[in-house]
Amino acid sequence: MEIFHDTKIDFLKYRTPAMLVSLVIILAGVFMIWKNGIRYGVDFSGGTAIHLKFRTVVPLDSIRNTLKGNGFPDSGVQAFNDPTQVMVRLPQTRVTEEETEELAERVATLLSANALKTLAPQGKRDLNSATPNDINGYLQLKDPWKVGDPAKYKGEVTKIRQMRDANAGLLPSFEQMRGIDAKVLASLKESFYVGDLAILSNEYVGPQVGAELREQAKLAIAWSLAGLLIYVWFRFEFLWGLSAIACLAHDVLITLAFFAFSGREISLTVVAAFLTIVGFSLNDTIVIYDRVRDNLKSMRTQPLENVINLSLNQMLNRTILTNGTVTIVTIVLFLFGGEVINDFAFAMLVGCISGTYSTVYIASAIIVLYNRYFGKKRMATVKAKAAKV
Amino acid sequence: MKNVQWKLLMVLVLAVIAGYGIWPPKERIRLGLDLKGGIHLVAEVKIDEALAGYTDRFIEVLRKELQDKQIPFQNILRKTNTSFVVSGIAPDKQENLKKILENHGEWDLTLTGNEGLAALRQAVINAKAEEAVNLAIRIIRERVNRFGVAESVVQRQGLTGGRMIIQLPGVEDTERVKDLIKNTARLELRLVTAGPAPSAEALGPIPEGSEALTHSEVQQDGRSVTNYYAVQKQAIVSGEELQAANRTTDQYGRPAVNFTLTSSAGSKFGDFTEANRGKALAIVLDNKVQSAPTIQDKITTDGIITGQFTIEESNDLAVMLQSGALPAGIRFLEQRVVGPSLGLDSIRKGMLACAIGGGIIVLFMLLYYKFSGVNAVTALILNMLFLMALMSYFEATLTLPGIAGIVLSIGMAVDANVLIFERIKEDLRLGKTARSALQSGFAKAFWPIFDSNLTTIIAAVFLYWFGTGPVKGFAVTLIIGICCSMFTAIFVSRLLFDWLLSRRRKVESISI
């Protein structure tokens, strides 16, 4: 089976409009970033991020207003794909390390009272936020089975815990907790209620750590790019190495631009996605470079442009197959991967498409352009090198 | 042909070893906190506090020594964390002060008028700071272990500075664990000189060598009441002289902690209590009075700390006393708490996405390359198997960014197969025989695969070096993944072809 056979598409013909499109996207992204700044996640900016899950859909505005009107004027609320989940961000200035949990609890109580309108029954605690230890301790004390052996309740506690974990942290109402002993439930009901909001995660990053993580991520990226440049230089040609780096920078900038457009935040996980993009795009570029070098051996009299075009056509099936499957996988990851890796999958998706495209219109196009304007001498060394390999 | 069979056997043996290595997967694959739920903390030892404490203790030693040698001085005050000023010392006695400090060998003295400024030497500061950090890490590790967290990690971050990373998978009681880590737990038994009184003023003038400490209690009606005691600064016995501490109950059945002193401290304490019958003894924990019972009789090695503890608090206090007091306070710089349901959700959705994605890849390869696709899929499955086995061997943890690394390495493994197969196809089209097309296809595809994989490894190595946390996790899985994929895509895949060809004498075509 074959998708394409013996195609003769003149890919490089469209390089000028393609590069313009890239330039426009990057400039628009840079403009957005210049205007609004890069949106850093809690990893890099510091502060507190609380990931909440509601039982029902709560309008974002109602959450925002509740927080703003109750002592959190500078809070930020971010939506997820799942409309019942939100991320509440509190900036650095509001937190001291000591009160992170209390802060999360306070936000949760505030929201359930005002945005959800579920008031906690007097003197009762939310069973959703009770730890297994708490529940176990409580049951041991109450001893609803009158067995005198406190260890007996472990099984019921485990069941409750598993039920809660499987339901995104929100237990069903007491009546719907199937499989839990009736006496145990009756006993729990005396002192607990089942709330409609759960804290899924809670992160605090100090100001100094945030700045350091940012520095380290930059350093890591810079050094690895330098390493790549040296290797490609060694294996191919300095100019080719530079073009490869330019193409990687292009992919990262394009992805950054799309992050700016969609208002997504840069977190450590997103940095990992950027690195994945860089790796993937580089792989694509090198594979094409290799074919170009290979073809240069037999086509020494042809203009470089033709050689690159031929190589791209020869590799078309491979490009469609590999990049196609990986792109499909990232689409699946984006659609079904869950909230936590959604930003990651988004970055991958943009990066995959950009990485495929940039091999042709950035990495190859730069070489062709350079060759056209500064020409002959450089090509001679490339061809000489190609002949040796 | 024999050769092929041997190689095949080797791959099979490797696969069996790998399979054995990751069985059962639930236990062998370590999941990161983002997938499993738990607490990640970055804590910093307040080194300044430890140094100030060291200086303070030295000042007391020096004060006593000056008094013993009858060298008159006005006062000794700590100036910075690592320096102090001795004031009002007569010029003719300054030589003596100098000599005393020289004997201790840690302080540089500068004399001006009738004042002496002593500063801790830099080398000593560094050593003390290092000592404090190492001690704090050791103590926290012990507390976490005694608390009973499986797979917990307490390790220093970087080679200098006071930072440590604490990872506690599966723990949900954030506040309890943080208290357990953070509390200094300095236990002291000191003599009460006045009190209790409802306010510090009501204590009257505090005697020389004593200080006012608080004691808080929640009364039956739920109101919290704070009382003040004047307590001697000098402790009779302190926490370092403990031999054991255990959870227990007091005479009313309420949770408490009992402790046993070492025998030398016990005899010292015995003498003291015998001589001070009828006086009140304060049990001071982190500069707060826990209780102040009256000494009824001679007490030697055993004591009990009562207070308003829950069972858990008494347990944690026993753990803290048993592990020893921290040399300084702890500050939390970073804290990530992931609930178990979020981790579960991430795993479930991640698995679903991987299954769909993997299914699509397999389908594609089989449809497009027909029988050779089976070969590629086999190589991919082996790739995953080896990857997981190596991760479990190196005890690497699987995190979300780690999964990203795996996705990339699988993408590159697929690419390697596609590159090889496309080359083979091209050569078949040129009219080469199956055997020679295979030969040249693998040979020609080798270099681009090698180049692209090696560049990625180079990048990953730098990321591992400079990266932190998630970035490091990404780099580790990527490096391992690429090594595995090079092996399976080039070596194993070739081997499978060779094996198939070796079973047939005449090969006209291959299904590709």
XYZ file of all heavy atoms in Angstrom, chain A residues 1-2 5 43 97 101 131-132 161 165 169 200-204 206 208-209 212-213 216 228 231 235 276 282-283 290-291 294 317-318 321-322 325 328 338 340-341 344, chain B residues 163 172-174 178 331-337 339-341 349 353 360 364 368-370 400 404 415 422-423 425-426 429 447-448 451-452 454-455 459 463 466 468 474:
694
model
N 0.834 -1.194 0.000
C 0.000 0.000 0.000
C 0.872 1.249 0.000
O 1.934 1.286 0.602
C -0.878 -0.012 1.266
C -1.978 0.996 1.212
S -3.092 0.701 2.612
C -3.074 2.309 3.333
N 0.395 2.254 -0.686
C 1.151 3.496 -0.737
C 0.189 4.663 -0.795
O -0.847 4.587 -1.448
C 2.012 3.512 -1.986
C 3.478 3.616 -1.667
C 4.282 3.567 -2.948
O 4.085 2.647 -3.743
O 5.073 4.481 -3.133
N 2.696 8.180 -4.724
C 3.730 7.527 -5.496
C 4.321 8.532 -6.479
O 3.599 9.155 -7.249
C 3.137 6.330 -6.251
C 4.180 5.604 -7.032
N 5.224 4.963 -6.419
C 4.339 5.454 -8.351
C 5.994 4.422 -7.341
N 5.491 4.713 -8.525
N 4.081 27.233 39.062
C 5.459 26.744 39.133
C 6.456 27.878 39.002
O 7.469 27.927 39.672
C 5.757 25.775 37.983
C 4.951 24.511 38.093
O 4.655 24.128 39.226
O 4.609 23.942 37.050
N 3.713 30.735 53.883
C 3.820 29.288 53.728
C 2.980 28.523 54.762
O 2.468 27.469 54.501
C 5.286 28.895 53.871
C 5.748 28.954 55.289
C 7.075 29.650 55.469
O 7.415 30.541 54.673
O 7.749 29.278 56.411
N -2.818 25.268 53.530
C -3.997 24.390 53.597
C -5.216 25.167 54.061
O -6.308 24.994 53.544
C -3.794 23.235 54.576
C -2.832 22.198 54.119
C -1.448 22.556 54.523
O -1.306 23.374 55.463
O -0.500 22.068 53.904
N -10.000 12.764 56.082
C -9.025 11.759 55.660
C -9.478 10.391 56.182
O -10.244 10.315 57.147
C -7.629 12.059 56.215
O -7.700 11.946 57.632
C -7.162 13.445 55.839
N -9.011 9.309 55.545
C -9.374 7.972 56.020
C -9.079 7.805 57.510
O -9.850 7.165 58.231
C -8.498 7.054 55.188
C -8.231 7.811 53.939
C -8.193 9.243 54.326
N -13.332 5.321 50.993
C -12.220 6.002 50.354
C -12.159 5.697 48.859
O -11.997 6.589 48.029
C -10.930 5.534 51.044
C -9.722 6.201 50.548
C -8.562 5.254 50.503
N -7.527 5.884 49.705
C -6.384 6.295 50.208
N -6.102 6.111 51.456
N -5.503 6.886 49.436
N -12.474 8.281 45.763
C -11.427 8.458 44.745
C -11.961 8.212 43.346
O -11.581 8.878 42.390
C -10.264 7.500 45.013
C -9.510 7.899 46.260
O -9.826 8.984 46.805
O -8.629 7.150 46.689
N -13.314 12.612 43.919
C -13.252 13.271 45.217
C -14.587 13.650 45.808
O -14.641 14.210 46.897
N -9.067 19.050 44.683
C -8.357 17.956 44.014
C -6.854 18.067 44.203
O -6.161 17.083 44.368
C -8.682 17.944 42.521
C -10.123 17.639 42.153
C -10.273 17.569 40.652
C -10.583 16.338 42.776
N -6.355 19.286 44.127
C -4.938 19.471 44.425
C -4.717 20.889 44.889
O -5.575 21.754 44.701
C -4.064 19.178 43.204
O -4.107 20.258 42.307
N -3.580 21.103 45.493
C -3.323 22.360 46.146
C -1.820 22.573 46.090
O -1.062 21.763 46.597
C -3.846 22.221 47.584
C -3.389 23.318 48.479
O -2.975 24.378 48.041
N -3.452 23.077 49.775
N -1.416 23.619 45.383
C 0.017 23.806 45.204
C 0.446 25.178 45.683
O -0.249 26.167 45.441
C 0.397 23.677 43.729
C 0.275 22.283 43.219
C 0.555 22.212 41.739
O -0.367 22.502 40.970
O 1.678 21.891 41.375
N 1.558 25.219 46.348
C 2.126 26.496 46.760
C 3.581 26.520 46.320
O 4.319 25.567 46.570
C 2.036 26.658 48.273
C 2.961 27.718 48.796
C 2.617 29.060 48.699
C 4.188 27.382 49.348
C 3.476 30.045 49.142
C 5.061 28.369 49.790
C 4.696 29.691 49.696
O 5.546 30.667 50.126
N 6.913 29.086 46.544
C 7.459 30.320 47.089
C 8.062 31.183 45.992
O 8.409 30.676 44.935
N 10.900 32.678 45.587
C 12.281 32.477 45.226
C 12.381 31.188 44.401
O 13.044 31.150 43.375
C 12.975 32.444 46.581
C 14.257 31.964 46.819
C 14.340 31.741 48.363
O 13.373 31.797 49.136
N 15.522 31.459 48.798
N 11.653 30.166 44.805
C 11.674 28.905 44.083
C 11.130 29.091 42.670
O 11.689 28.582 41.704
C 10.851 27.840 44.832
C 10.727 26.587 43.993
C 11.496 27.520 46.150
N 13.680 30.599 40.525
C 14.771 29.655 40.258
C 14.362 28.611 39.235
O 15.135 28.262 38.346
C 15.169 28.948 41.556
C 16.067 29.780 42.426
C 16.220 29.184 43.800
O 15.977 27.957 43.929
O 16.549 29.920 44.717
N 13.136 28.105 39.384
C 12.654 27.096 38.431
C 12.644 27.674 37.029
O 12.991 27.014 36.060
C 11.256 26.608 38.817
C 11.171 25.702 40.033
C 9.728 25.357 40.341
C 11.965 24.428 39.800
N 16.199 27.818 35.749
C 16.724 26.496 35.429
C 16.122 25.939 34.147
O 16.828 25.331 33.351
C 16.464 25.532 36.581
C 17.669 25.424 37.486
C 17.348 24.661 38.735
O 16.215 24.659 39.206
N 18.342 24.007 39.277
N 22.720 20.500 20.513
C 22.202 20.070 19.213
C 22.963 20.749 18.088
O 23.348 20.117 17.101
C 20.728 20.456 19.085
C 19.799 19.839 20.105
C 18.378 20.260 19.813
C 19.930 18.335 20.069
N 26.257 19.166 17.505
C 26.197 17.854 16.861
C 25.849 17.970 15.379
O 26.481 17.341 14.534
C 25.189 16.948 17.568
C 25.174 15.550 16.972
C 26.173 14.637 17.290
C 24.201 15.167 16.066
C 26.184 13.372 16.736
C 24.206 13.903 15.501
C 25.207 13.007 15.839
O 25.220 11.763 15.276
N 27.984 16.738 12.188
C 27.516 15.711 11.269
C 27.189 16.270 9.883
O 27.263 15.575 8.894
C 26.262 15.019 11.827
C 26.554 14.093 12.973
C 27.171 12.799 12.519
N 26.266 12.047 11.655
C 26.650 11.073 10.857
N 27.923 10.748 10.795
N 25.776 10.438 10.122
N 9.518 18.155 24.167
C 9.067 17.076 23.299
C 8.947 17.582 21.865
O 9.366 16.916 20.916
C 7.702 16.548 23.775
O 7.737 16.426 25.183
C 7.386 15.208 23.165
N 13.146 18.221 15.626
C 14.543 17.994 15.258
C 14.695 16.672 14.516
O 15.377 16.581 13.496
C 15.397 17.977 16.521
C 16.867 17.824 16.225
C 17.422 19.133 15.714
C 17.623 17.375 17.440
N 14.005 15.667 15.034
C 14.024 14.363 14.400
C 13.594 14.488 12.936
O 14.242 13.990 12.027
C 13.070 13.448 15.170
C 12.939 12.093 14.535
O 13.943 11.471 14.205
N 11.723 11.647 14.354
N 19.282 14.306 6.105
C 20.042 13.126 5.738
C 19.757 12.717 4.285
O 20.659 12.364 3.533
C 19.680 11.987 6.695
C 20.570 10.797 6.480
O 21.675 10.805 7.045
O 20.177 9.887 5.717
N 18.469 12.799 3.933
C 18.107 12.427 2.576
C 18.677 13.431 1.568
O 19.156 13.048 0.497
C 16.582 12.320 2.461
C 16.050 11.786 1.140
C 16.775 10.556 0.649
N 16.266 9.289 1.093
C 15.315 8.574 0.503
N 14.716 9.019 -0.570
N 14.957 7.418 0.951
N 22.217 12.679 1.084
C 22.316 11.465 0.301
C 22.134 11.779 -1.187
O 22.901 11.322 -2.041
C 21.216 10.513 0.785
C 21.602 9.077 0.520
O 22.813 8.802 0.520
O 20.695 8.256 0.324
N 5.758 10.003 1.963
C 5.029 8.914 2.623
C 5.427 8.782 4.081
O 4.590 8.615 4.953
C 5.301 7.595 1.900
C 4.373 7.415 0.722
O 3.205 7.786 0.810
N 4.896 6.886 -0.361
N 6.738 8.831 4.288
C 7.253 8.700 5.647
C 6.747 9.842 6.518
O 6.317 9.648 7.654
C 8.783 8.680 5.600
C 9.463 8.719 6.922
C 9.916 10.122 7.228
N 10.092 10.309 8.657
C 10.135 11.490 9.209
N 9.991 12.584 8.490
N 10.287 11.601 10.499
N 3.095 9.382 7.281
C 2.886 8.266 8.208
C 3.299 8.608 9.625
O 2.513 8.536 10.565
C 3.712 7.072 7.738
C 2.965 5.975 7.009
C 3.930 4.860 6.667
C 1.837 5.435 7.887
N 4.571 8.985 9.766
C 5.084 9.232 11.113
C 4.380 10.420 11.759
O 3.786 10.302 12.827
C 6.597 9.520 11.064
O 7.220 8.428 10.447
C 7.143 9.719 12.447
N 0.620 9.843 12.321
C 0.230 9.034 13.483
C 0.483 9.797 14.779
O -0.367 9.806 15.667
C 1.002 7.700 13.550
O 2.353 7.958 13.265
C 0.462 6.676 12.578
N -2.146 12.332 15.288
C -3.413 11.716 15.724
C -3.338 11.355 17.208
O -4.274 11.604 17.971
C -3.729 10.467 14.867
C -4.120 10.924 13.455
C -4.869 9.661 15.483
C -4.257 9.818 12.461
N -7.610 14.050 29.804
C -7.886 14.575 31.142
C -7.363 15.988 31.312
O -6.572 16.481 30.514
N -5.450 17.445 33.586
C -4.088 17.770 34.024
C -3.126 17.839 32.847
O -2.212 18.658 32.835
C -3.608 16.754 35.080
C -2.224 17.110 35.570
C -4.573 16.715 36.244
N -3.338 16.987 31.818
C -2.384 17.035 30.715
C -2.938 17.758 29.492
O -2.373 17.690 28.415
C -1.849 15.637 30.326
C -2.974 14.711 29.898
C -1.075 15.026 31.425
C -2.397 13.398 29.379
N -0.523 20.260 28.166
C 0.568 19.507 27.570
C 0.192 19.025 26.174
O 0.931 19.209 25.206
C 0.903 18.319 28.469
C 1.909 17.389 27.893
C 3.258 17.638 28.054
C 1.527 16.273 27.163
C 4.191 16.802 27.510
C 2.457 15.430 26.619
C 3.792 15.694 26.792
N 18.466 23.427 51.575
C 17.213 22.933 51.020
C 17.125 21.424 50.975
O 18.105 20.740 50.744
C 17.074 23.427 49.587
C 16.888 24.887 49.555
C 15.909 25.222 48.501
N 15.892 26.649 48.352
C 15.793 27.255 47.188
N 15.708 26.533 46.095
N 15.748 28.554 47.127
N -2.303 11.806 52.979
C -3.362 12.787 52.808
C -3.404 13.826 53.930
O -3.911 14.917 53.750
C -4.719 12.077 52.734
C -4.888 11.323 51.424
C -6.166 10.530 51.405
O -7.201 11.060 51.803
O -6.123 9.366 50.994
N -2.913 13.462 55.104
C -2.965 14.390 56.239
C -1.885 15.448 56.126
O -0.900 15.419 56.850
C -2.748 13.623 57.548
C -3.992 12.897 57.967
O -5.046 13.197 57.384
O -3.905 12.052 58.856
N -2.078 16.395 55.225
C -1.025 17.369 54.963
C -0.580 18.105 56.213
O 0.604 18.193 56.506
C -1.515 18.426 53.971
O -2.403 17.832 53.078
C -0.367 19.041 53.243
N 3.068 18.055 57.928
C 3.879 19.267 57.956
C 4.284 19.625 59.383
O 5.408 20.046 59.633
C 3.112 20.424 57.315
C 3.276 20.450 55.808
C 2.384 21.475 55.180
C 2.913 22.880 55.344
N 1.967 23.854 54.761
N 11.411 26.038 57.010
C 10.531 26.908 56.238
C 10.141 26.127 54.974
O 10.992 25.493 54.363
C 11.337 28.156 55.886
C 10.656 29.178 55.049
C 11.673 30.230 54.617
N 12.331 30.883 55.753
C 13.631 31.126 55.819
N 14.429 30.766 54.846
N 14.160 31.741 56.859
N 8.858 26.157 54.608
C 8.452 25.453 53.396
C 8.457 26.413 52.218
O 7.797 27.444 52.243
C 7.066 24.828 53.553
C 7.056 23.698 54.539
C 6.414 23.823 55.755
C 7.724 22.525 54.248
C 6.426 22.786 56.668
C 7.736 21.480 55.159
C 7.087 21.607 56.374
N 9.213 26.073 51.187
C 9.332 26.953 50.025
C 8.380 26.550 48.920
O 8.001 27.344 48.082
C 10.761 26.891 49.475
C 11.863 27.280 50.433
C 13.201 27.101 49.757
C 11.695 28.713 50.875
N 8.043 25.284 48.903
C 7.218 24.779 47.827
C 6.406 23.630 48.385
O 6.915 22.841 49.174
C 8.137 24.269 46.708
C 7.453 23.947 45.420
C 8.443 23.373 44.414
O 9.628 23.731 44.436
O 8.020 22.528 43.615
N 5.159 23.578 47.991
C 4.318 22.512 48.520
C 3.303 22.120 47.462
O 2.597 22.956 46.933
C 3.613 23.036 49.761
C 2.666 22.056 50.347
C 1.753 22.700 51.365
O 2.104 23.661 52.009
N 0.556 22.179 51.477
N 3.274 20.846 47.140
C 2.282 20.385 46.175
C 1.541 19.209 46.776
O 2.142 18.213 47.146
C 2.946 19.945 44.874
C 3.599 21.084 44.131
C 4.560 20.533 43.097
N 5.471 21.578 42.690
C 5.246 22.411 41.682
N 4.131 22.311 40.990
N 6.112 23.347 41.372
N 0.257 19.364 46.882
C -0.560 18.283 47.417
C -1.491 17.824 46.318
O -2.279 18.605 45.802
C -1.391 18.757 48.615
C -2.177 17.598 49.198
C -0.513 19.391 49.657
N -4.452 15.254 45.414
C -5.419 14.324 45.991
C -5.426 13.025 45.217
O -5.080 12.988 44.041
N -5.791 11.925 45.892
C -5.760 10.618 45.236
C -6.721 10.539 44.050
O -6.453 9.845 43.080
C -6.174 9.652 46.340
C -6.851 10.484 47.358
C -6.246 11.843 47.271
N -7.834 11.277 44.120
C -8.808 11.147 43.034
C -8.288 11.805 41.757
O -8.546 11.334 40.656
C -10.134 11.754 43.433
O -9.977 13.095 43.772
N -7.514 8.489 32.530
C -7.641 9.176 31.249
C -6.378 8.995 30.409
O -6.448 8.827 29.198
C -7.923 10.654 31.490
C -9.296 10.851 32.133
C -9.914 12.159 31.734
C -11.363 12.240 32.146
N -11.646 13.432 32.926
N -6.233 7.389 26.737
C -5.645 8.085 25.598
C -4.535 7.248 24.983
O -4.430 7.125 23.762
C -5.123 9.445 26.034
N -4.391 3.135 17.349
C -4.338 3.782 16.033
C -3.000 3.486 15.348
O -2.950 3.124 14.166
C -4.565 5.298 16.159
C -6.021 5.561 16.563
C -4.245 6.016 14.850
C -6.324 7.000 16.899
N -2.603 1.400 11.906
C -1.928 2.056 10.787
C -0.808 1.192 10.238
O -0.711 0.952 9.042
C -1.331 3.372 11.290
C -1.888 4.579 10.614
C -3.251 4.729 10.424
C -1.041 5.574 10.154
C -3.767 5.847 9.811
C -1.547 6.696 9.532
C -2.905 6.841 9.358
N -0.943 -0.488 6.600
C -0.050 0.085 5.619
C 1.065 -0.874 5.218
O 1.405 -0.991 4.057
C 0.526 1.385 6.170
C 1.191 2.234 5.122
C 0.428 3.025 4.271
C 2.570 2.235 4.982
C 1.023 3.797 3.306
C 3.176 3.013 4.014
C 2.404 3.796 3.176
O 2.992 4.560 2.228
N 1.615 -1.556 6.210
C 2.765 -2.417 5.907
C 2.418 -3.900 5.918
O 3.302 -4.740 5.826
C 3.902 -2.141 6.896
C 4.539 -0.803 6.669
C 4.516 0.167 7.662
C 5.157 -0.499 5.466
C 5.095 1.401 7.453
C 5.735 0.733 5.253
C 5.703 1.684 6.248
O 6.267 2.892 6.039
N 1.158 -4.223 6.062
C 0.689 -5.606 6.083
C 1.548 -6.489 6.978
O 1.682 -6.211 8.160
C 0.645 -6.162 4.658
C -0.321 -5.383 3.804
C -0.335 -5.899 2.390
C -0.880 -4.864 1.447
N 0.160 -3.993 0.878
N 3.735 12.450 34.831
C 3.079 12.889 33.600
C 4.096 13.328 32.547
O 4.025 12.892 31.404
C 2.094 14.013 33.898
C 0.721 13.550 34.378
C -0.138 14.750 34.692
C 0.040 12.708 33.321
N 5.136 11.872 28.689
C 5.457 12.646 27.490
C 6.721 12.106 26.840
O 6.797 11.945 25.621
C 5.633 14.112 27.843
N 8.873 6.085 13.788
C 9.581 6.740 12.697
C 10.714 5.862 12.175
O 10.919 5.747 10.973
C 10.120 8.085 13.188
C 10.613 8.928 12.028
O 9.935 8.920 10.978
O 11.660 9.573 12.167
N 10.211 2.275 4.313
C 10.099 3.074 3.095
C 11.315 2.861 2.192
O 11.200 2.794 0.974
C 9.945 4.551 3.445
C 8.575 4.946 3.990
C 7.434 4.631 3.033
O 7.506 5.033 1.852
O 6.465 3.965 3.457
N 12.482 2.765 2.846
C 13.697 2.512 2.071
C 13.628 1.164 1.371
O 13.994 1.019 0.211
C 14.933 2.550 2.979
C 15.444 3.942 3.235
C 16.088 4.501 1.987
N 16.834 5.710 2.319
C 17.604 6.371 1.459
N 17.733 5.950 0.212
N 18.250 7.450 1.834
N 10.972 -0.431 0.506
C 10.007 -0.311 -0.583
C 10.640 0.324 -1.818
O 10.454 -0.143 -2.945
C 8.828 0.554 -0.139
C 7.713 -0.208 0.531
C 6.583 0.764 0.784
C 5.329 0.053 1.210
N 4.241 0.975 1.467
N 11.380 1.422 -1.573
C 12.020 2.105 -2.696
C 12.941 1.160 -3.448
O 12.922 1.112 -4.687
C 12.846 3.293 -2.189
C 12.037 4.574 -2.061
C 12.883 5.690 -1.461
O 14.042 5.853 -1.894
O 12.391 6.381 -0.550
N 11.105 -1.347 -5.449
C 10.583 -0.743 -6.668
C 11.662 -0.644 -7.732
O 11.399 -0.731 -8.919
C 10.045 0.664 -6.336
C 8.562 0.805 -6.646
C 8.079 2.169 -6.224
N 7.688 2.178 -4.831
C 8.003 3.155 -3.987
N 8.742 4.168 -4.374
N 7.591 3.099 -2.753
N 21.718 5.504 9.305
C 22.333 6.771 9.702
C 21.328 7.841 10.090
O 21.502 8.481 11.136
C 23.334 7.262 8.658
C 24.612 6.490 8.802
C 25.105 5.555 7.949
C 25.504 6.520 9.921
N 26.249 4.994 8.444
C 26.528 5.570 9.659
C 25.545 7.233 11.116
C 27.581 5.342 10.547
C 26.595 7.003 12.001
C 27.588 6.065 11.709
N 20.277 8.052 9.263
C 19.317 9.056 9.734
C 18.692 8.701 11.082
O 18.503 9.583 11.928
C 18.264 9.095 8.636
C 18.508 7.928 7.771
C 19.944 7.589 7.914
N 21.383 9.435 13.687
C 21.567 10.884 13.881
C 20.441 11.492 14.692
O 20.671 12.218 15.652
C 21.621 11.595 12.524
C 23.018 11.550 11.941
O 23.971 11.359 12.723
O 23.158 11.706 10.713
N 19.205 11.177 14.287
C 18.103 11.847 14.965
C 17.975 11.368 16.402
O 17.700 12.147 17.303
C 16.795 11.653 14.194
O 16.471 10.298 14.158
N 20.471 10.189 18.292
C 21.584 10.684 19.089
C 21.403 12.159 19.444
O 21.668 12.561 20.582
C 22.906 10.468 18.354
C 24.117 10.642 19.283
C 24.136 9.552 20.341
C 25.408 10.631 18.498
N 20.941 12.970 18.481
C 20.727 14.381 18.813
C 19.697 14.505 19.932
O 19.864 15.310 20.845
C 20.215 15.186 17.606
O 19.307 14.394 16.879
C 21.336 15.633 16.713
N 20.277 16.248 23.628
C 19.404 17.258 24.235
C 18.906 16.777 25.586
O 18.905 17.523 26.572
C 18.234 17.556 23.311
N 19.166 18.300 29.454
C 17.965 18.556 30.244
C 18.071 17.883 31.600
O 17.663 18.425 32.616
C 16.732 18.034 29.516
C 16.374 18.815 28.274
C 15.173 18.198 27.610
C 16.097 20.252 28.639
N 20.550 20.025 33.799
C 20.136 21.338 34.283
C 18.706 21.369 34.781
O 18.303 22.296 35.452
C 20.299 22.380 33.171
C 21.722 22.622 32.807
C 22.278 22.046 31.687
C 22.518 23.414 33.621
C 23.598 22.254 31.365
C 23.838 23.626 33.300
C 24.385 23.043 32.163
N 15.007 20.339 36.585
C 14.551 19.946 37.918
C 13.260 19.160 37.758
O 12.577 19.291 36.758
C 14.220 21.164 38.785
O 13.483 22.080 37.981
C 15.439 21.804 39.342
N 11.193 13.774 32.583
C 11.020 13.704 31.145
C 12.300 13.190 30.494
O 12.281 12.281 29.665
C 10.668 15.094 30.618
C 10.702 15.221 29.136
C 9.646 14.780 28.376
C 11.792 15.800 28.506
C 9.673 14.904 27.001
C 11.830 15.925 27.143
C 10.767 15.478 26.385
